[in-house]
Amino acid sequence: MVDLILPGRGRPLVRLLAARRGRATTLRLADGRELTAYNCVWGRGWGAEWEHLTLNLSPRVPGAEVRTVSADEVEEARDADGRLLHRRAAHEKGARPAPRPLIFSPACRLSRAG
């Protein structure tokens, strides 16, 4: 289901939250806050790189706060026992890493039309 939309940079986190639907997942945000997610709906604005996540909305969970956050705010996700499920890669905190150069093997030949 996650792959039905063109995935953004938060795809691994969205996939994790979708797979854990109904089970408590603690999200630690970049500013130090922690949120508990039992379910997640997501989307991405036109031209945005990261998904926005709406937590605990569908279905509603009694006593759980409905919150909206951007996937780029989430540093870590842990299960109810504190096991690490997701950690944002260091390069994702800023700009994307530089693309790797193309490497052509000696067996690769280029030809010109003409």
Side-chain angles (χ1 to χ4, degrees):
M1 185 166 188
V2 173
D3 297 321
L4 292 177
I5 61 170
L6 183 63
R9 293 177 65 187
R11 177 182 181 188
L13 177 63
V14 170
R15 291 186 81 154
L16 171 76
L17 293 173
R20 290 186 54 80
R21 184 181 178 135
R23 293 180 282 169
T25 305
T26 301
L27 305 178
R28 186 175 58 77
L29 305 183
D31 64 6
R33 289 181 297 149
E34 289 189 349
L35 304 174
T36 302
Y38 292 93
N39 57 62
C40 173
V41 293
W42 66 92
R44 199 156 47 92
W46 183 262
E49 291 186 41
W50 294 89
E51 291 84 356
H52 55 269
L53 314 171
T54 302
L55 309 174
N56 308 322
L57 179 65
S58 180
R60 294 295 298 262
V61 177
E65 185 179 8
V66 175
R67 298 291 304 258
T68 301
V69 297
S70 175
D72 75 335
E73 295 179 73
V74 179
E75 295 283 333
E76 290 181 352
R78 294 185 178 270
D79 68 10
D81 295 325
R83 287 186 294 257
L84 183 66
L85 302 172
H86 170 81
R87 177 176 286 146
R88 191 166 74 174
H91 73 267
E92 292 177 337
K93 293 179 183 174
R96 289 185 185 220
R100 297 185 315 195
L102 294 175
I103 299 172
F104 292 98
S105 69
C108 179
R109 287 191 245 166
L110 299 176
S111 64
R112 270 196 244 175

